Amino acid sequence: GAVVSQHPSRVICKSGTSVKIECRSLDFQATTMFWYRQFPKQSLMLMATSNEGSKATYEQGVEKDKFLINHASLTLSTLTVTSAHPEDSSFYICSADRRGGYNEQFFGPGTRLTVL
Amino acid sequence: AQSVTQPDIHITVSEGASLELRCNYSYGATPYLFWYVQSPGQGLQLLLKYFSGDTLVQGIKGFEAEFKRSQSSFNLRKPSVHWSDAAEYFCAVGGAGTALIFGKGTTLSVSS
């Protein structure tokens, strides 16, 4: 099956620092990757759509200057939370859309970000 | 507007009893439908998906779901619940190459 990894799985940082989260499709190419955010005991909300070689498309209300997304290759997308604050603490989950066929999206295991 | 509604926030079922989790969707195009399960602090695990064809879909762990276009529903069922099924369940809808829209989730508790 298709595997998507995320690194790190858990990160704790101080307020004001930046944190980079990587999302990799390990055994397939992903033209499109999606970044979701999940607050405790809530559902997943789409933050942005990341297409290889082009700028990400952000959902309304998501600050593109705060959540920098780079999709440099067909297997890697990164999310950088810049100048993180406690309210950015959340569970960040990526998914990768495998090329061709149906909407075969595969989710990463998620990254728990805690900002102190 | 595109949306997914899971009417039940929390359900408690006795171990060994049957389970049905409801999901209704609103989607402008041909819907692809999914059920995911999430344990506390964990990622999502895909239980089953519907793209086309037979409207009764079998998934992992003994789960099944039935797509009813006329009712815009995709309810999840299991004939006999096990204590290990206690978790958060999310229904989601999407289209080809698009992000998924998730419902708010249903928390399943299993009593002995």
Side-chain angles (χ1 to χ4, degrees):
Chain A
V3 179
V4 175
S5 70
Q6 277 185 246
H7 178 79
S9 58
R10 186 180 296 268
V11 57
I12 301 172
C13 69
K14 293 182 179 180
S15 185
T17 61
S18 294
V19 174
K20 180 185 284 189
I21 302 170
E22 292 185 347
C23 176
R24 291 182 185 273
S25 56
L26 298 185
D27 50 2
F28 67 97
Q29 293 183 328
T31 311
T32 303
M33 289 184 174
F34 304 96
W35 287 96
Y36 298 84
R37 181 174 183 176
Q38 185 181 30
F39 289 107
K41 299 189 183 300
Q42 294 191 27
S43 187
L44 282 77
M45 299 298 294
L46 179 68
M47 297 176 66
T49 301
S50 166
N51 290 296
E52 185 264 338
S54 62
K55 290 185 179 180
T57 303
Y58 292 82
E59 295 300 298
Q60 191 172 15
V62 177
E63 299 175 60
K64 62 180 181 181
D65 294 331
K66 181 169 188 61
F67 297 100
L68 300 179
I69 292 173
N70 183 274
H71 195 154
S73 77
L74 287 171
T75 59
L76 173 65
S77 176
T78 59
L79 167 67
T80 301
V81 183
T82 62
S83 186
H85 287 89
E87 57 266 29
D88 299 324
S89 299
S90 190
F91 194 51
Y92 293 89
I93 304 176
C94 73
S95 71
D97 188 29
R98 188 165 59 182
R99 279 180 156 182
Y102 296 112
N103 185 10
E104 288 273 17
Q105 268 189 54
F106 300 90
F107 283 83
T111 296
R112 172 76 58 193
L113 170 63
T114 303
V115 185
L116 302 177
Chain B
Q2 300 175 344
S3 64
V4 174
T5 301
Q6 293 181 245
D8 304 304
I9 297 173
H10 192 174
I11 283 183
T12 299
V13 175
S14 298
E15 189 169 17
S18 64
L19 169 71
E20 181 169 35
L21 300 182
R22 295 182 291 166
C23 173
N24 292 95
Y25 67 91
S26 174
Y27 199 72
T30 301
Y32 299 151
L33 294 154
F34 307 82
W35 273 100
Y36 291 89
V37 62
Q38 185 180 38
S39 296
Q42 302 297 311
L44 300 176
Q45 181 179 24
L46 178 66
L47 288 176
L48 46 77
K49 61 192 176 189
Y50 172 79
F51 290 150
S52 66
D54 192 346
T55 56
L56 185 62
V57 180
Q58 301 298 320
I60 62 171
K61 303 183 177 185
F63 286 93
E64 67 177 25
E66 185 172 12
F67 171 57
K68 292 185 177 180
R69 185 184 298 275
S70 62
Q71 298 178 20
S72 297
S73 69
F74 189 58
N75 295 346
L76 181 72
R77 300 193 295 250
K78 185 170 184 177
S80 178
V81 168
H82 188 262
W83 64 267
S84 60
D85 293 324
E88 189 80 15
Y89 290 79
F90 293 99
C91 179
V93 66
T98 67
L100 298 187
I101 301 166
F102 286 84
K104 292 185 182 298
T106 297
T107 302
L108 173 64
S109 298
V110 180
S111 61
S112 56

